[in-house]
Amino acid sequence: MGNKKRVKTFDKKLLHWFNDTIKNKFLDKFMYYITNLGGGWFTTGFMMSLFIFGKNKMRLIGLEGLASLTLSQIFVQILKRSLERERPFNRFDSVNRFNIVLKDYSFPSGHTTASFSIATVMALNFPYIAIPVLLIALLVGTSRMYLGVHYPTDVLAGIAVGIFSSLIVHFQLIDYLKRLMIFMKLA
């Protein structure tokens, strides 16, 4: 069996486990709500609130988060439009749909990318909350498979893109962000 076929088999089996095998009423509601923590409204709103209402370090963290989100979502959109991977609920009749209608492509998961982007920024700046914020981000990624809108490899790619984007911003661009805040008289 070739590598491509192994990945497809892995994707389909793990997707089935998350979307059907463990399906129950509690998780149906829980996953539907937890997935919103990776959505654009929540992630952008959270970082904007830190930037607008925060002082000094919190304001900088808000700006760092916004920069990380922006960079990560640029990567997401380039990959989605280049690879054009159909969503699982469009490919398999057996996938539980949860009345979710999405018209964009599947790879990588934008919600997972955003949640790991934010979680990584928070973990780098506040190491003592690293485990809880990364677990919440992992729940967002899991919810995307449970809800049948992403394959496991979409989620894994989202994790990688979110973390990578945050590391670039934190270790390569943070000095520019600090200078921008001084220039704008926000620091």
Side-chain angles (χ1 to χ4, degrees), residues 19-186:
N19 180 255
D20 189 50
T21 304
I22 66 168
K23 185 180 178 331
N24 63 62
K25 288 182 182 186
F26 170 76
L27 288 177
D28 288 354
K29 290 181 182 175
F30 179 74
M31 293 297 189
Y32 192 79
Y33 289 109
I34 201 79
T35 204
N36 292 317
L37 296 178
W41 285 106
F42 180 81
T43 55
T44 305
F46 179 65
M47 288 294 118
M48 283 293 288
S49 66
L50 291 181
F51 180 68
I52 292 169
F53 302 114
K55 302 283 186 217
N56 301 322
K57 184 178 179 181
M58 289 306 276
R59 182 170 276 173
L60 180 61
I61 292 168
L63 185 58
E64 181 181 346
L66 290 169
S68 177
L69 275 173
T70 301
L71 182 61
S72 70
Q73 293 307 306
I74 289 170
F75 288 141
V76 164
Q77 291 308 313
I78 289 169
L79 289 167
K80 280 184 185 277
R81 293 163 197 238
S82 299
L83 300 174
E84 299 181 348
R85 186 180 197 187
E86 286 293 319
R87 291 188 180 270
F89 64 76
N90 287 332
R91 297 223 29 222
F92 304 110
D93 292 333
S94 62
V95 171
N96 294 306
R97 299 179 72 108
F98 297 94
N99 296 318
I100 297 172
V101 179
L102 297 170
K103 296 181 181 179
D104 63 338
Y105 294 108
S106 184
F107 185 90
S109 168
H111 280 68
T112 305
T113 301
S115 62
F116 270 89
S117 178
I118 298 306
T120 303
V121 166
M122 298 306 287
L124 289 168
N125 286 287
F126 304 107
Y128 55 91
I129 64 165
I131 292 173
V133 295
L134 291 168
L135 285 175
I136 291 168
L138 189 59
L139 273 174
V140 171
T142 301
S143 75
R144 304 308 285 165
M145 294 179 288
Y146 186 90
L147 296 171
V149 295
H150 284 291
Y151 297 96
T153 49
D154 299 343
V155 171
L156 291 173
I159 292 168
V161 171
I163 291 171
F164 179 70
S165 299
S166 296
L167 293 174
I168 289 173
V169 171
H170 188 78
F171 292 110
Q172 298 296 319
L173 303 177
I174 197 70
D175 288 335
Y176 298 106
L177 297 176
K178 288 176 183 175
R179 282 190 238 146
L180 177 64
M181 286 184 57
I182 291 168
F183 176 75
M184 295 175 64
K185 299 181 182 184
L186 296 171

